[in-house]
Amino acid sequence: MKEFFGFGGYARPAEGFLSWQHLLFVGLLLTTMTVLAIWLGKRNRCATPEQKNKVMVAAALLIDGLELFKIILLCFRAESAEPILYNLPLFLCSIQLIAIPLAAFSKGQTKEAALDFVCIFGILGAVFGTIGAGQNYNAYPVLSFDNVVSGVTHCISGFASLYLMFAKAAGMKRENMHITYCILLAFCVAAYIANVLIPYNYMFLMAGDGTPYDILYNLVGGNRVLYPTLVVALFLIYISLFYYFVGLSRSKSKAKDTVTMQ
């Protein structure tokens, strides 16, 4: 248990990014996430909004509870409060620590926008935070506290996103798109300020850090203005495309239903 939680450092070497251990572990996590999301989503598709929301409440409590436990343990491990600075909810994936509770407990347009945000970025965060987490799997053994908690919390985000899709619980109204933009931009500004003050690499706005963002970082030669600008621009483009394709899919579905009725 001492070795799993990393007290005194890990004695085992890291198996490495894209090792068979890494891919097997995250493959099992992503499979479990997908199966649960599809099962619960289809089961609750015709349920009331209140019943659908119970799953989101459970996801919110679980993801924030695990993250809080992680921060407390890291502080004990470091024998200081310094780990708090490096675990602020300012990564794209960790925004879900705020977005999922908002989606579960808020009301009105705020709830609608939060549901959209979870739906849009949950899957992306799950894939990037498990398969693409080169910085974690090169630093820690696969079966370690750091990687297990990270993998589970990222998959809770992905689960929430898939669940909302299959339960048809996210409105994805285009009139809420500007709120989704604002949520993302607010976090990007906060992340950039934190990066300068700490310093750190929240939202990967300073460097790729062993993730697929390295491709973009190398493409622009690490330019300190162009690189973060393009990262944010990609986020906004992704949001726009998600809304567009969801709207296109719904239009085709309605047209098909109309033809069938005729």
Side-chain angles (χ1 to χ4, degrees):
M1 296 300 289
K2 182 180 178 181
E3 168 63 15
F4 173 79
F5 287 108
F7 285 99
Y10 293 108
R12 293 166 295 146
E15 291 86 352
F17 177 54
L18 297 183
S19 63
W20 70 264
Q21 295 95 331
H22 167 211
L23 294 178
L24 176 62
F25 175 64
V26 301
L28 290 171
L29 282 177
L30 292 171
T31 300
T32 303
M33 169 196 89
T34 305
V35 170
L36 281 174
I38 293 174
W39 171 56
L40 288 171
K42 287 188 173 181
R43 191 188 72 173
N44 289 347
R45 182 169 292 178
C46 298
T48 63
E50 291 75 19
Q51 289 173 318
K52 291 180 181 181
N53 196 55
K54 288 179 181 179
V55 175
M56 294 302 295
V57 170
L61 295 175
L62 188 57
I63 193 171
D64 278 12
L66 279 171
E67 188 67 15
L68 181 60
F69 175 66
K70 182 189 82 172
I71 293 172
I72 292 171
L73 188 135
L74 291 178
C75 288
F76 272 109
R77 209 165 71 179
E79 297 181 351
S80 75
E82 188 178 7
I84 295 174
L85 293 175
Y86 304 106
N87 288 278
L88 298 172
L90 294 175
F91 280 114
L92 182 61
C93 310
S94 55
I95 296 174
Q96 302 291 355
L97 296 168
I98 296 172
I100 293 177
L102 268 178
F105 297 109
S106 63
K107 295 181 179 181
Q109 199 171 24
T110 301
K111 185 181 185 71
E112 290 179 359
L115 286 168
D116 288 358
F117 193 93
V118 173
C119 192
I120 292 168
F121 284 107
I123 290 293
L124 190 69
V127 173
F128 272 82
T130 55
I131 297 174
Q135 77 282 13
N136 280 356
Y137 290 95
N138 280 331
Y140 312 115
V142 171
L143 294 180
S144 63
F145 175 78
D146 295 79
N147 280 332
V148 169
V149 172
S150 176
V152 171
T153 52
H154 281 89
C155 282
I156 291 172
S157 298
F159 161 82
S161 176
L162 278 175
Y163 168 75
L164 292 173
M165 292 180 196
F166 281 94
K168 294 186 177 180
M172 295 303 298
K173 298 175 183 176
R174 291 193 182 183
E175 55 264 34
N176 291 333
M177 188 162 58
H178 70 285
I179 303 177
T180 310
Y181 285 150
C182 290
I183 293 172
L184 177 71
L185 290 172
F187 276 98
C188 285
V189 170
Y192 194 83
I193 292 171
N195 289 339
V196 173
L197 296 178
I198 293 177
Y200 200 48
N201 190 24
Y202 283 117
M203 296 286 280
F204 299 103
L205 293 176
M206 312 307 281
D209 220 7
T211 67
Y213 291 109
D214 274 333
I215 298 171
L216 185 60
Y217 185 82
N218 294 330
L219 192 64
V220 298
N223 187 286
R224 298 182 71 84
V225 175
L226 190 57
Y227 169 71
T229 302
L230 288 176
V231 169
V232 175
L234 285 176
F235 292 152
L236 297 177
I237 291 170
Y238 175 73
I239 291 172
S240 302
L241 289 174
F242 203 99
Y243 273 99
Y244 171 76
F245 283 112
V246 168
L248 190 65
S249 174
R250 287 178 177 176
S251 297
K252 287 183 177 180
S253 180
K254 286 181 181 178
K256 186 178 179 181
D257 290 342
T258 302
V259 171
T260 303
M261 290 174 65
Q262 291 175 347

